[in-house]
Amino acid sequence: MVLRFHQLARSFPEIPHDPMRDFLVTARCDAACVEVTVRTWRGDGLDGFLAELAEDFRGWNGARNWRSLERDLTLSAVHAGSRVRLTWGLHAPFPDDDWHFEATTEHAPGEDMRRLAGEMRAFLDADPA
C-alpha cells in the first residue's frame, strides 16, 4: 500500500492570505487506486495530531480520531504495543455518493511518528502552487 499526499494548492487563490488548502491523497495497492481531493483550513491540525501521537509513545487506550474540514479524509490511530496503526479513510467527495476507502499504515512509536509528523508539517507549510 502506498499513500501519497501531493499537489498542495490554495483553495481560493484570488483571496490574499487564504488559509484554505486543497491537496490530493492517493492510495494505491495491487487491487485499487483511489484519489481524493482534501480541503483543509490551515491543515486542520493534522500535523499537530500526528505530533501528539508521537509524544504519547508509551501508548494510549482506544482509538484517537481526526477528520478534515469536509470529512473527505479521516484518520484513526490505535497504539498496539510496539506499533501505532493509522487507518486513513478517503471518503466520497459528494453527499450522494456512498463510498469510502481505508488504508492502514503501521509505524514505530516515538521517532518514526515524529518523522511522519514533521513530514506532514513540512508538506502543509509549503508554499502552495
Side-chain angles (χ1 to χ4, degrees), residues 24 27 46:
L24 291 179
L46 178 55

Side-chain angles (χ1 to χ4, degrees), residues 74-87:
T74 58
L75 178 57
S76 180
V78 175
H79 196 285
S82 64
R83 305 302 288 168
V84 175
R85 286 193 190 103
L86 301 179
T87 301

Side-chain angles (χ1 to χ4, degrees), residues 7 10 22 33 52 57 59 69 73 78 80-81 93 95 98-99 105 109 118-119 123:
Q7 296 187 16
R10 295 182 193 284
D22 294 340
C33 179
E52 288 176 17
F57 61 91
L69 178 67
L73 178 65
V78 175
D98 190 24
W99 65 265
T105 59
E119 289 171 358
F123 172 72

Side-chain angles (χ1 to χ4, degrees), residues 43-90:
D44 292 334
L46 178 55
D47 56 336
F49 178 77
L50 292 169
E52 288 176 17
L53 298 177
E55 293 309 310
D56 289 341
F57 61 91
R58 288 187 180 89
W60 60 86
N61 293 323
R64 292 186 180 176
N65 300 296
W66 173 91
R67 65 178 174 79
S68 64
L69 178 67
E70 295 182 349
R71 295 186 172 112
D72 28 31
L73 178 65
T74 58
L75 178 57
S76 180
V78 175
H79 196 285
S82 64
R83 305 302 288 168
V84 175
R85 286 193 190 103
L86 301 179
T87 301
W88 305 85
L90 284 68

